């Protein structure tokens, strides 16, 4: 085989590996179908398929060894659930409390970390699959037939686990590769959109652009977190990675630095547009940033294809032209205010040059392996005691997870009661629908109600047509396999199509035992009932509207901003050090901002009567995100200041500003007037002695520090105004946020 053909083969193999889970599902279901056909036990295919699907739903990204441990835990949970169903399903006195306790406990496992959330959810699914199998079985209560159904479910789950563990062992770095490609792709989108803020046009709705930027930033933060967790699972506690993981860790750290520089804001964009309306300075900034966003996208493609990354020389030329334009503008300066704004543009150009250096570092094979500190913070629990503590911490009605767990338990018990009342065919589909539809957020639940019903209807019609067109059992088995693969390829992005696919799979499987004709209408009815129960549970059982969380989330964001500011200020003594403490403070600030952003946008998906001041929350979010962008600029320009008096003065200013942020956080949490007034007073009426050298030319870095800190203070003042509006009493005298 020629080297060109070999390269094409490897490229296609890598592309296929990018769709890892659907491929694993294809291998699992295809092999199970072959085994069932060759052995003549077509009736065993349904529980085997359902067990494999439940196991795939429990799967999370992990190393080979970690996946083996997770699979063992998953099978233990599955076995306990399946045998409990077999033992208790005929005894409602035991079954109902057992169902409620299992739903609550398994949902609360999500407090530990995402992998336990997936295992808990999949265990509930497998338990309902066991109910469906027993409900359709002619076996006597407690007989061998029911036990066989449970064992077949476990066998299907274990068979998928074999492929899952083998895949993680053979392709250990592939998920990280895919995560990093996704990270740089989203980062490129963020940088390109950020470039649109540099249009020197009057009358632009900058708030709307800032809002869109906050949404994009939430996506970037989510991708950063996913990539970090993927890398850490393969490094473990040894901190001595080998092979491609070394490069991927370096690329992740580059992405963090690029993110900080891309989120930086050096002045008010409307003021810059007014000052340089007749100049091309901002257009040149926009061009540089657009080219750098495209570079992020090209880097994503190179990671995906495992090809060398080459920097685009056009970006370097654009930077040189920008600097030339700045020099020309400075030679013609007459107004002091315009000079101050030009200094901000100069700082912006320096930041863009550093961002270009970060992207150029991605061309190195080791991807900055020589950094002083490349450690990553481990957020996973280190002991069983810590796991218990995490769950215990969520045992409060203030916790969204606790409310969701209790709500789901009540919804499933209600579904079981309705099922006993109307005695439907395959009535346990009511429980299955409720489990899939009932989400932690109202918007997600409502969205799934419509998609689940529509998807089921489409699946029933498509399934009926396929059964008519392909009456051969082997063809229906192939269609079931294809539907299972399609379900896993679309479940995260196209839930309606995924629901249709899994409905087709169920109809094809159950037709192997000759009863699919009587399932079509009941499937639709049960889906509608289960969806209705889930929607009612969201309203009637401890509803957790985002307005109730807003004050706490806003306070957490402000406190993380304050900690980030203190970490930045501490590095003006020694110079920039991207050590773990600094990167952790930066990541926590962005995580808190992303959480607040998600809550505000979710608020707008909730009923109008529970969000009377959603507009205030939206403005608070915009100003909080703008404040974070000014802090990012401070972080991007960290340099050592050598004059002790100047350094002490700047650190005093930073500490005062951080304290004002914390006072505002306390105001948001408790609604204490004195805390809010203290915050406003500190920002608005700072005594001159707290900010010496304000009028001196001084060092460039010190001037930039004061400029950015002044912008931060302006945002604190604006945030305090919005906080006062949020916390003002309702017409009946009650505070807005409980």
């Amino acid at each position: 085989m020629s080297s060109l053909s070999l390269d094409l083969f490897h490229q296609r193999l890598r592309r296929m590996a990018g769709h890892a889970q659907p491929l694993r599902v294809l291998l699992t279901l295809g092999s199970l179908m072959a085994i069932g056909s060759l052995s003549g036990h077509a009736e065993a295919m349904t529980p085997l398929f359902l067990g494999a699907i439940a196991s795939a739903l429990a799967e999370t990204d992990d190393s080979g060894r970690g996946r083996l441990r997770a699979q063992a835990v998953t099978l233990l949970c599955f076995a306990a659930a399946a045998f409990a169903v077999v033992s208790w399903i005929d005894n409602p006195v035991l079954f109902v409390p057992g169902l409620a306790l299992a739903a609550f406990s398994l949902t609360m496992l999500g407090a530990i970390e995402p992998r336990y959330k997936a295992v808990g959810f999949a265990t509930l699914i497998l338990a309902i699959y066991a109910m469906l199998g027993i409900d359709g079985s002619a076996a006597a209560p407690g007989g061998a037939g029911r036990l066989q159904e449970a064992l077949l479910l476990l066998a299907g789950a274990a068979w998928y686990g074999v492929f899952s563990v083998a895949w993680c062992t053979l392709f250990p770095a592939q998920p990280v590769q895919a995560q990093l490609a996704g990270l740089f792709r989203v980062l490129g989108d963020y940088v390109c959109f950020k470039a649109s803020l540099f249009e020197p046009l009057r009358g632009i709705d900058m708030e709307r652009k800032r809002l869109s930027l906050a949404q994009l930033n939430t996506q970037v933060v989510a991708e950063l977190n996913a990539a970090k967790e993927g890398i850490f699972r393969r490094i473990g506690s040894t901190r001595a990675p080998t092979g491609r993981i070394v490069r991927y860790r370096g690329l992740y750290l580059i992405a963090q630095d690029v993110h900080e520089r891309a989120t930086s804001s050096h002045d008010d964009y409307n003021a810059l547009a007014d000052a340089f309306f007749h100049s091309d300075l901002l257009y040149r900034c926009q061009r540089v940033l657009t080219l750098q966003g495209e570079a992020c996208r090209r880097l994503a493609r190179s990671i995906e294809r495992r090809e060398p990354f080459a920097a685009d020389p056009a970006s370097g030329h654009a930077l040189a032209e920008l600097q030339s334009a700045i020099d020309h503008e400075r030679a013609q300066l007459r107004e002091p205010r315009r000079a101050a704004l030009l200094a901000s543009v100069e700082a912006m150009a320096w930041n863009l040059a550093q961002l270009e250096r970060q992207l150029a570092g991605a061309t190195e094979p080791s991807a900055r392996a020589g950094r002083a500190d490349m450690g990553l913070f481990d957020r996973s629990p280190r002991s069983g005691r810590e796991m218990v503590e995490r769950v215990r911490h969520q045992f409060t009605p203030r916790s969204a997870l606790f409310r969701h767990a209790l709500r789901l338990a009540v919804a499933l018990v209600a579904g079981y009661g309705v099922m006993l009342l109307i005695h439907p065919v395959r009535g346990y589909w009511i429980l299955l629908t409720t489990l899939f539809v009932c989400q932690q957020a109202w918007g997600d639940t409502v969205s799934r109600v419509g998609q689940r019903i529509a998807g089921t209807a489409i699946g029933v019609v498509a399934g009926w047509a396929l059964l008519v067109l392909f009456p051969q059992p082997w063809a229906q088995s192939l269609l079931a396999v294809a539907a299972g693969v399609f379900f896993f390829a679309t479940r995260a992005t196209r839930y309606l199509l995924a629901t249709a696919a899994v409905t087709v799979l169920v109809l094809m499987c159950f037709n192997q035992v000759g009863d699919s004709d009587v399932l079509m209408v009941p499937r639709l009815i049960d889906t509608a009932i289960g969806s209705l129960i889930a929607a009612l549970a969201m309203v009637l059982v401890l509803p957790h509207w985002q307005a109730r969380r807003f004050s706490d989330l806003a306070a957490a964001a402000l406190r993380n901003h304050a900690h980030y500011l203190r970490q930045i200020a501490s590095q003006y003594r020694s110079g920039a050090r991207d050590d773990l403490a600094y990167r952790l403070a930066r990541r926590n600030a962005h995580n808190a901002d992303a959480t607040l952003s998600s809550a505000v946008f979710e608020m707008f998906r909730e009923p109008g009567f529970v969000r009377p001041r959603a507009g205030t929350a939206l403005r608070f979010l915009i100003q909080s995100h703008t404040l974070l962008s000014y802090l990012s600029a401070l972080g991007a320009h960290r340099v050592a200041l050598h004059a002790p008096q100047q350094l002490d003065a700047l650190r005093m200013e930073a500490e005062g500003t951080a304290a004002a942020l914390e006072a505002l956080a306390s105001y948001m949490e408790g609604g204490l007037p004195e805390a809010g007034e203290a915050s406003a007073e500190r920002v608005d009426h700072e005594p001159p002695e707290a900010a010496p050298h304000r009028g001196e030319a001084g060092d460039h870095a010190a001037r930039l520090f004061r400029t950015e800190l002044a912008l931060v203070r302006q945002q604190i003042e604006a945030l305090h105004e919005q906080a006062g509006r949020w916390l003002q009493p309702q017409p009946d005298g009650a505070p807005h946020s409980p």
Side-chain angles (χ1 to χ4, degrees):
M1 187 181 289
S2 68
S3 60
L4 182 60
S5 302
L6 213 65
D7 288 343
L8 285 172
F9 174 74
H10 286 158
Q11 215 171 75
R12 285 176 184 170
L13 191 64
R14 285 196 295 269
R15 209 166 286 146
M16 287 173 63
H19 305 284
Q21 193 177 47
L23 273 175
R24 290 194 290 273
V25 171
L26 175 62
L27 292 171
T28 304
L29 299 187
S31 57
L32 287 174
M33 184 194 72
I35 293 169
S37 300
L38 292 174
S39 64
H41 292 287
E43 74 283 354
M45 283 176 52
T46 300
L48 287 171
F49 273 30
L50 294 179
I53 288 171
S55 185
L57 290 171
E59 185 180 43
T60 53
D61 175 46
D62 219 325
S63 62
R65 185 178 300 177
R67 185 66 202 133
L68 181 61
R69 287 196 298 267
Q71 189 63 35
V73 171
T74 301
L75 288 175
L76 284 174
C77 291
F78 281 9
F83 294 139
V85 168
V86 169
S87 303
W88 296 349
I89 194 168
D90 295 311
N91 187 347
V93 176
L94 291 175
F95 184 78
V96 172
L99 176 63
L101 182 61
F104 180 81
S105 304
L106 290 169
T107 304
M108 287 300 294
L109 286 180
I112 301 174
E113 62 175 351
R115 75 178 74 184
Y116 289 95
K117 177 182 178 181
V119 170
F121 179 69
T123 302
L124 286 173
I125 290 171
L126 185 119
I128 298 176
Y129 285 163
M131 298 173 203
L132 280 168
I134 292 171
D135 187 39
S137 172
R146 293 187 171 187
L147 186 61
Q148 182 181 356
E149 285 284 328
L151 291 173
L152 286 171
L153 282 170
L154 294 176
W159 189 238
Y160 179 83
V162 170
F163 286 98
S164 177
V165 173
W167 193 282
C168 290
T169 304
L170 292 172
F171 304 102
Q174 185 275 326
V176 181
Q177 176 187 340
Q179 288 159 352
L180 279 172
L183 167 58
F184 277 100
R185 193 174 295 113
V186 173
L187 195 55
D189 294 342
Y190 179 90
V191 174
C192 285
F193 187 84
K194 181 71 180 280
S196 70
L197 271 64
F198 289 90
E199 291 177 341
L201 302 175
R202 292 167 179 159
I204 290 181
D205 188 352
M206 198 58 69
E207 278 202 351
R208 184 178 293 276
K209 284 184 176 288
R210 285 282 193 187
L211 191 60
S212 299
L213 208 59
Q215 284 182 289
L216 281 171
N217 188 59
T218 301
Q219 297 176 30
V220 176
V221 169
E223 294 290 344
L224 278 165
N225 290 337
K228 194 273 285 186
E229 291 302 320
I231 292 167
F232 195 89
R233 287 190 187 107
R234 285 150 184 86
I235 294 175
S237 58
T238 61
R239 298 183 183 273
T242 57
R244 279 185 288 148
I245 296 298
V246 176
R247 172 170 169 75
Y248 290 161
R249 182 177 63 174
L251 287 170
Y252 165 75
L253 294 175
I254 287 174
Q256 275 200 330
D257 295 340
V258 168
H259 182 224
E260 180 175 56
R261 296 189 180 281
T263 53
S264 299
S265 292
H266 294 77
D267 218 313
D268 179 67
Y269 289 108
N270 286 323
L272 291 173
D274 285 338
F276 302 107
F277 183 75
H278 299 290
S279 168
D280 67 351
L281 268 183
L282 295 187
Y283 278 123
R284 292 187 183 277
C285 290
Q286 185 183 57
R287 172 167 166 73
V288 172
L289 207 51
T290 301
L291 288 171
Q292 290 173 339
E294 291 297 333
C296 288
R297 290 169 177 167
R298 285 189 293 105
L299 179 54
R301 288 193 294 271
S302 74
I303 294 170
E304 202 167 44
R305 300 171 182 173
R306 289 176 59 186
E307 296 172 348
F309 172 70
D312 185 0
S315 189
H317 293 321
L319 272 169
E321 290 169 356
L322 171 61
Q323 188 57 53
S324 176
I326 290 172
D327 294 340
H328 177 75
E329 187 70 31
R330 182 161 292 285
Q332 299 179 340
L333 276 179
R334 296 292 183 271
E335 303 172 16
R337 173 58 180 158
R338 191 177 171 92
L341 290 170
L342 184 61
S344 295
V345 175
E346 283 184 304
M348 197 186 308
W350 183 88
N351 187 44
L352 291 174
Q354 300 307 306
L355 196 157
E356 185 70 18
R357 282 187 57 200
Q358 295 291 338
L359 290 173
T363 60
E364 298 290 331
S366 58
R368 299 183 63 183
R371 294 175 67 132
D373 185 354
M374 296 185 73
L376 301 175
F377 182 71
D378 183 11
R379 295 182 186 270
S380 60
R382 295 173 177 81
S383 64
R385 183 176 181 179
E386 188 175 343
M387 290 182 184
V388 173
E389 183 60 27
R390 288 190 181 189
V391 175
R392 190 195 65 79
H393 183 70
Q394 294 294 324
F395 257 86
T396 168
R398 292 176 62 88
S399 164
L401 180 64
F402 177 87
R403 287 172 174 250
H404 174 60
L406 199 59
R407 188 184 306 126
L408 184 61
V410 172
L412 289 177
V413 170
Y416 182 74
V418 171
M419 187 196 76
L420 293 180
L421 185 66
I422 63 177
H423 299 288
V425 178
R426 302 280 186 185
Y428 289 100
W429 272 337
I430 294 174
L431 302 187
L432 191 64
T433 299
T434 301
L435 178 60
F436 273 107
V437 170
C438 191
Q439 301 294 300
Q440 192 163 318
W442 163 267
D444 292 337
T445 300
V446 171
S447 174
R448 285 209 170 186
V449 165
Q451 293 184 71
R452 187 82 184 180
I453 294 173
T456 301
I458 293 170
V460 165
V461 172
W464 171 80
L466 290 171
L467 287 172
V468 171
L469 290 171
F470 303 98
Q472 304 88 348
W474 63 267
Q476 293 169 13
S477 297
L478 287 174
L479 288 170
V481 172
V485 173
F486 189 76
F487 168 73
F488 280 95
T490 57
R491 70 187 181 97
T493 54
R494 304 286 179 87
Y495 188 71
L496 187 149
L497 294 178
T499 301
V502 81
T503 301
V504 170
L505 181 147
V506 167
L507 292 177
M508 296 299 124
C509 284
F510 278 100
N511 196 61
Q512 301 297 312
V513 291
D515 60 352
S516 69
D517 291 341
V518 299
L519 295 179
M520 293 184 182
V521 175
R523 171 86 174 173
L524 280 170
I525 295 172
D526 293 349
T527 297
I529 294 172
S531 298
L532 179 62
I533 290 171
L536 288 174
M538 287 297 299
V539 178
L540 301 176
V541 184
L542 292 178
H544 196 53
W545 310 116
Q546 296 301 323
R548 295 178 177 176
R549 304 177 61 211
F550 179 77
S551 292
D552 290 340
L553 296 179
L558 293 169
R559 284 205 166 86
N560 278 288
H561 293 349
H563 184 56
Y564 183 27
L565 175 56
R566 287 191 174 103
Q567 281 290 325
I568 292 168
S570 70
Q571 297 209 358
Y572 275 80
R573 182 180 297 277
S574 58
R577 295 188 324 276
D578 283 346
D579 54 19
L580 181 58
Y582 175 79
R583 286 186 281 110
L584 183 59
R586 178 175 63 188
R587 186 60 28 223
N588 286 341
H590 280 283
N591 282 340
D593 179 77
T595 302
L596 180 64
S597 177
S598 298
V600 171
F601 286 110
E602 180 60 34
M603 192 185 298
F604 279 85
R605 301 172 69 191
E606 295 175 346
F609 69 88
V610 299
R611 50 178 177 88
R613 293 178 186 157
T616 301
L618 196 64
R619 286 187 289 275
F620 189 100
L621 168 65
I622 293 169
Q623 287 153 1
S624 175
H625 185 71
T626 303
L627 185 149
L628 180 58
S629 70
Y630 294 143
L631 293 179
S632 295
L634 280 173
H637 290 275
R638 287 165 292 147
V639 293
L641 299 178
H642 302 295
Q645 184 181 5
Q646 187 181 63
L647 178 62
D648 291 342
L650 292 182
R651 292 192 66 181
M652 189 186 304
E653 284 190 71
E655 180 56 36
T657 305
L661 282 167
E662 289 180 336
L664 183 55
S666 298
Y667 180 41
M668 287 297 297
E669 284 178 328
L672 303 175
E674 60 272 16
E677 289 163 8
S679 169
E681 184 178 353
R682 185 167 300 179
V683 174
D684 296 337
H685 309 295
E686 182 190 41
E689 60 269 24
H693 311 293
R694 195 177 293 276
E696 297 176 7
D699 180 74
H700 172 73
R703 288 201 307 272
L704 179 64
F705 189 98
R706 293 190 195 98
T707 299
E708 294 295 331
L709 215 55
L711 292 168
V712 169
R713 290 194 187 97
Q714 288 176 12
Q715 291 305 310
I716 295 176
E717 180 182 355
L719 284 167
H720 182 267
E721 182 181 348
Q722 298 304 326
R725 290 176 181 172
W726 178 264
L727 294 171
Q728 69 183 357
Q730 293 283 3
D732 61 359
H736 172 69
S737 182

